[in-house]
Amino acid sequence: MLSYRHAYHAGNQADIFKHFTLFHIVKYLLQKETPVAYLDTHAGAGLYRLDSEASSKTGEAQAGILSLLEAQSKLPPKTDSTQSFVGFCKTFLDKTGYYPGSPAIVASLLRSQDKLILMELHNNEIDILKHNCGPDKRIHIHHRDGFTGLEALTPPTPRRGLCLIDPSYELPGDYASTAQTVLETARRWPAGIMLIWYPVVGRRENQLKAMHHAICTSGLPVLDICVQSKNAVTEYGLAGSGILVVRPPWNIHHTLGLGIREILEILGLQEDTFFSCTRHGRSD
Ligand code: SAM
């Protein structure tokens, strides 16, 4: 049974780095008029209130997006990529009262000719997702397993596009499923960009290493963005997080690297954090 609920973590620091990366890759794809497909294997609820009991209980949004918005109101970011992302989150929150999850970020950016396929397995989260993101004729919502769903639904029409694989990693097998799904999807969908989020957690070090190795040594071009605390963490705590971008758009590492460094600086985390942006495999 699945028990993870993203409402406790929405808008935290890991969400900021993941959503910042997603935002800029979608923006890159929108530079051309040709339609785009977006597949989200682990969509979550789509929208999150940051004043909810769940959010207040962890305080993660307060240390994440709310601190970022507060800091930028005093001193706007210097980097264009940070400014545009922070501006987007602020406008969304002001207008709707919600922090946007991955489906809502992409739905706000995509155009009428584009398509979104959202998958979610949790019995309650799927109803909230349907309520939050439908009806919209561009959006197709599936109550199903995202790993097998992605393999079944690729290559999508249109062929240009990206997928986000953002598991909760509640099950130890999620790491191996992610690696297997990425390699199979890359084979089935040669034009697809893939974003894979991963947590850095002490007790799952071996599973993460195996997943990372399988994807980064596959020969596919991969950009690995990782933000990790320098402080000692417990076996169960989140020591950091990362995003693998398979088939990254040309030069995106500059945009992402500069932006994430600036976000770390604004949040006052640069002294306590290791940040790396590493390219593996061939560059297309
Ligand atoms: N992508 C969302 C965002 O950025 O706003 C957050 C997703 S959250 C980290 C992971 C979600 O995956 C949870 O809502 C969980 O219920 C769901 N989930 C867990 N296992 C799944 C599976 N095998 N297939 C689809 N969804 C799953």
Side-chain angles (χ1 to χ4, degrees), residues 63-261:
I65 190 68
L66 293 173
S67 294
L68 191 59
L69 293 178
E70 205 180 300
Q72 78 85 44
S73 67
K74 293 178 196 137
L75 187 63
K78 296 190 273 301
T79 314
D80 283 351
S81 60
T82 310
Q83 210 170 59
S84 57
F85 174 71
V86 174
F88 170 83
C89 292
K90 179 171 167 29
T91 307
F92 197 101
L93 261 164
D94 288 349
K95 224 162 85 181
T96 67
Y98 290 94
Y99 176 74
S102 51
I105 293 175
V106 181
S108 309
L109 297 173
L110 290 190
R111 309 149 300 184
S112 56
Q113 66 267 42
D114 302 321
K115 180 173 171 184
L116 294 91
I117 298 174
L118 311 177
M119 291 169 254
E120 170 58 50
L121 191 57
H122 194 287
N123 290 339
N124 296 338
E125 297 295 273
I126 185 71
D127 289 340
I128 308 174
L129 177 68
K130 283 181 179 163
H131 176 264
N132 286 339
C133 292
D136 177 329
K137 61 180 188 336
R138 303 168 306 161
I139 303 182
H140 307 264
I141 303 178
H142 301 256
H143 185 195
R144 68 180 296 173
D145 171 59
F147 296 118
T148 52
L150 186 63
E151 289 184 25
L153 298 170
T154 46
T157 309
R159 291 286 194 271
R160 258 183 96 235
L162 81 158
C163 67
L164 171 66
I165 304 178
D166 183 21
S168 41
Y169 296 95
E170 271 178 275
L171 309 172
D174 281 352
Y175 293 86
S177 301
T178 299
Q180 196 267 326
T181 301
V182 168
L183 300 183
E184 179 58 20
T185 306
R187 193 184 66 74
R188 298 173 64 85
W189 186 21
I193 298 172
M194 282 185 260
L195 262 69
I196 303 105
W197 182 84
Y198 63 85
V200 180
V201 184
R203 76 185 193 288
R204 299 275 196 242
E205 198 182 340
N206 290 339
Q207 285 103 323
L208 175 61
K209 268 192 187 149
M211 177 185 109
H212 196 272
H213 181 79
I215 298 172
C216 295
T217 62
S218 62
L220 291 162
V222 181
L223 181 66
D224 179 14
I225 299 162
C226 188
V227 176
Q228 218 173 318
S229 169
K230 287 181 187 170
N231 302 322
V233 280
T234 61
E235 212 197 341
Y236 285 85
L238 190 68
S241 67
I243 302 132
L244 300 175
V245 185
V246 174
R247 304 196 183 104
W250 186 73
N251 250 354
I252 199 91
H253 59 282
H254 289 305
T255 310
L256 300 178
L258 282 173
I260 292 177
R261 273 200 182 86

